[in-house]
Amino acid sequence: MEGHRKSHHSDTVKKNLVTRLNRIEGQIRGIKGLIEKDTYCDDVITQISATQSALNSVAKLLLEGHMKTCVLERIQDGDEEIVDEFMITVQKLMKK
């Protein structure tokens, strides 16, 4: 059943997320290049930290959208199991 679920992202939100992920993909390639060039470790770690922050921003946007659409709809439909699922998702994000 889980494989059939879909998100409810508008085209604008989807474009925003893809743009952010493309930027993150570029940051990852940049980090790889820094390592290949034997760049000072502290500088590489700074770039990794910036990339992690960018990924966290994407996760926050997804989490907000998920809460306002999927979670809200399932609660309104009487499906309270979504709360446990949502809390597990939040716990996964907080471990990072």
Side-chain angles (χ1 to χ4, degrees):
M1 182 184 242
E2 282 189 2
H4 293 83
R5 295 188 296 188
K6 300 266 185 188
S7 64
H8 300 289
H9 305 302
S10 69
D11 288 342
T12 304
V13 169
K14 200 180 303 186
K15 184 177 179 185
N16 181 8
L17 291 170
V18 169
T19 299
R20 288 170 181 256
L21 289 169
N22 285 338
R23 196 174 309 130
I24 291 165
E25 188 176 19
Q27 288 176 294
I28 298 288
R29 282 194 302 273
I31 292 167
K32 181 180 170 189
L34 293 175
I35 290 172
E36 291 171 343
K37 295 174 193 166
D38 296 320
T39 303
Y40 185 62
C41 294
D42 193 58
D43 295 335
V44 177
I45 291 167
T46 298
Q47 291 305 310
I48 289 171
S49 178
T51 304
Q52 287 173 326
S53 291
L55 268 175
N56 285 340
S57 292
V58 170
K60 287 176 193 173
L61 284 172
L62 284 168
L63 196 62
E64 180 182 356
H66 183 52
M67 184 67 159
K68 289 180 176 179
T69 58
C70 303
V71 174
L72 183 60
E73 287 174 12
R74 286 178 60 185
I75 288 172
Q76 289 171 340
D77 290 342
D79 180 1
E80 294 182 16
E81 288 180 17
I82 186 63
V83 175
D84 292 332
E85 178 187 297
F86 185 77
M87 290 309 302
I88 290 168
T89 300
V90 170
Q91 288 169 1
K92 287 177 189 174
L93 285 173
M94 292 178 78
K95 285 183 190 176
K96 311 275 186 252

